[in-house]
Amino acid sequence: MAMDTRVAAARVLADVFDGRSLNRVLPPMLDKVSPRDRGLLQQLCYGTLRRAPRLEALLQQLLDKPLRDKDSDVHALLLCGLYQLEETRIPDHAAVSATVGATRGLKKNWAKGMTNAVLRRFLREAESLVAELSPAARDCHPDWLYQALHQGWPEHAASMVAVNNEQPPMVLRVNLSRITRADFLTKLAAADIEARAGELSPAAVYLTQPMDVAALPGFAEGEVSVQDEGAQMAAIVVDPQPGDRILDACAAPGGKTGHLLEMQPDLADIIAMDVDPQRLLRVQENLERLALGAELLEGDGAQPPGQLANASFDRILIDAPCSATGVIRRHPDVKSLRLAEDVAGFSDLQLSILQGLWPLLRPGGTLVYATCSVIPGENDGTIGRFLSQQQEASCTSLPMAWGEATQHGRQLLPTSAGPDGLYYCVLRKN
């Protein structure tokens, strides 16, 4: 028997609030609800997480006392209920009834009356409750992130906050070694799929409506992949040349490795390395679909595996682990999972990866450092720390006009119906 959709949503959300990634907990739950309700489950989870700081602040005004830790599923259900009332087209009476009914599915019958009272009080007092919210909560952001965006990008913070609350566009990367973008757009039009060309990457195509990749013409044949336009700039910045030996150091799920091979079929060698063996399987799957090959290697950039002891690369790409504050619209759990102190931790990790891989770059070679963060201290700050320690490293100006020039690199900021927020810096070994 299929699980009640709101029960499933409450359990997914409770797991995320307990520190687990939405990407890990949502997929198995999708198989437990009716196929016709999978879209609703995704909407409830993504939507609630997108607005979680606001919903949490509202809920705190509505509860007489905090719920016990063991009732985190009820807490999550209440947030999901408030999301339905604030943001969805589900009629209020139906949203309240279904949410109250889900307490039975959670085996928390005692919460039935409380859930009903909380949601109905919100309907009565919504305007006054919203008026009590802080600016950060009103804009659905944790206070630390709201402040960080305004401090780092005072002229762009308002638009970034708005973009973070939107659904992201679905963006494709056309395999230009097989088909031109113009011809692929013609294929899409013939299939009645509305799309437009991107403005930064020559391979980028934006779909008007998201869709199942299996229904995309040419997807199974490797003519196209799903990849944000901002992420597509990584391979363009690397600028692979014939005969190059390249290390893609944080390769999973393989989009950048595939793009590098599509751009330059005459590489001498390319190694796709990742610390997670399960995610490395995704790299293999993606390369197989594209009919491309790379050497796969499990390893930690901070402590490169012994197989690389005598290696020397012309170009290294580090798509470093980061706060993911540039891709919040795709990963709304970032708002709940990240804390202010995490930024310093990520910066330390990024610096250790730079220090670990720098010896593998040949003299005269280039290292492209990328993150999907928009926090300056995590981007230019990390590069500044590395440069202060590494005398043979220097920054190379990027010959591109996109994004914002920063002290050491360029920053793409997330834009509505445009690319995600990514940072790029090119280091040369003197």
Side-chain angles (χ1 to χ4, degrees), residues 4-162:
D4 177 271
T5 311
R6 287 162 182 81
V7 170
R11 290 181 172 161
V12 168
L13 293 167
D15 280 346
V16 171
F17 296 138
D18 194 37
R20 301 177 67 190
S21 161
L22 180 63
N23 282 344
R24 289 189 181 274
V25 296
L26 178 57
M29 197 62 83
L30 288 171
D31 293 331
K32 295 182 180 180
V33 301
S34 166
R36 68 179 182 182
D37 288 338
R38 288 174 184 166
L40 175 59
L41 176 57
Q42 288 182 310
Q43 180 190 2
L44 295 177
C45 292
Y46 275 88
T48 301
L49 290 171
R50 211 164 261 136
R51 302 179 68 80
R54 174 186 175 102
L55 300 174
E56 183 64 49
L58 289 169
L59 182 59
Q60 292 308 311
Q61 296 182 68
L62 291 162
L63 288 173
D64 294 331
K65 59 182 180 181
L67 293 169
R68 299 168 297 183
D69 290 345
K70 67 179 183 179
D71 297 321
S72 59
D73 51 357
V74 175
H75 187 106
L77 180 66
L78 288 168
L79 295 178
C80 183
L82 292 173
Y83 163 70
Q84 294 169 73
L85 297 179
E86 267 219 311
E87 278 296 302
T88 71
R89 296 180 179 176
I90 300 170
D92 291 347
H93 66 86
V96 172
S97 175
T99 304
V100 170
T103 59
R104 191 181 315 113
L106 292 174
K107 303 187 187 316
K108 301 287 178 67
N109 286 339
W110 60 265
K112 181 179 177 181
M114 182 270 292
T115 300
N116 185 60
V118 164
L119 297 183
R120 293 196 180 281
R121 182 185 164 198
F122 172 76
L123 288 173
R124 293 192 305 271
E125 303 176 19
E127 186 174 349
S128 61
L129 293 166
V130 169
E132 294 297 318
L133 297 179
S134 69
R138 193 174 301 129
D139 283 340
C140 309
H141 279 59
D143 188 64
W144 76 267
L145 178 58
Y146 189 82
Q147 299 301 327
L149 295 179
H150 281 79
Q151 290 171 7
W153 303 99
E155 296 180 359
H156 303 282
S159 64
M160 293 167 70
V161 164

